[in-house]
Amino acid sequence: MPSARIKTALQELTEENIIEAFRNSITVTDLLKYVSVTEFIALLEAYGGFPLYVPTGAASKVAKIISAESLSRLASQYGGDFITMPKFDTLTRWLRDREICGNTENISVREMARRYGLTPRRVNQIIKHNKGNGSCR
């Protein structure tokens, strides 16, 4: 279950954020052509890490998650096929790491470790890794 901060951050995500979080995954990039960011996140919460069957008709569990228009667009491309959905954890970890790197409150590594349920060593690894790729100051 994501923390309140992560839930708030999920609501503010853009398509570019999601593509970055999943490291330009072709599946993610392609799915976002057919569904909104909000719908994508809902699909991740429901099917993350598992194959998603894309129905050809409107009577399905997927139809309860995304709009009829989005389902129609998705079905026109993938109807009758399975799409392997990425894990929801990938997105929440990316958000957590981004919060750690954007530590504008100047919180100590020890306090960040407590806040995120990590060890101080892991917090330092996240900072070091993200400094290397330009995501951290």
Side-chain angles (χ1 to χ4, degrees), residues 60-79:
S60 71
K61 291 179 183 177
V62 176
K64 294 176 183 171
I65 298 172
I66 64 175
S67 70
E69 298 82 29
S70 294
L71 180 56
S72 176
R73 287 192 304 267
L74 195 59
S76 71
Q77 182 68 26
Y78 295 104

Side-chain angles (χ1 to χ4, degrees), residues 17-30:
N17 294 145
I18 290 174
I19 290 169
E20 180 184 340
F22 289 101
R23 296 188 175 98
N24 296 314
S25 160
I26 293 170
T27 301
V28 171
T29 305
D30 206 35

Side-chain angles (χ1 to χ4, degrees), residues 17-49:
N17 294 145
I18 290 174
I19 290 169
E20 180 184 340
F22 289 101
R23 296 188 175 98
N24 296 314
S25 160
I26 293 170
T27 301
V28 171
T29 305
D30 206 35
L31 274 174
L32 287 168
K33 294 177 187 172
Y34 305 102
V35 301
S36 71
V37 168
T38 305
E39 291 170 328
F40 177 78
I41 292 169
L43 285 171
L44 271 186
E45 288 179 300
Y47 295 97

Side-chain angles (χ1 to χ4, degrees), residues 23 93 96-97 100 109 112-113 116-130:
R23 296 188 175 98
R93 276 194 318 269
R96 177 205 65 200
D97 293 357
I100 288 171
V109 168
M112 281 193 287
Y116 298 107
L118 303 169
T119 64
R121 180 179 180 185
R122 181 65 189 134
V123 171
N124 281 319
Q125 288 172 337
I126 290 167
I127 293 167
K128 182 179 178 181
H129 171 77
N130 287 294

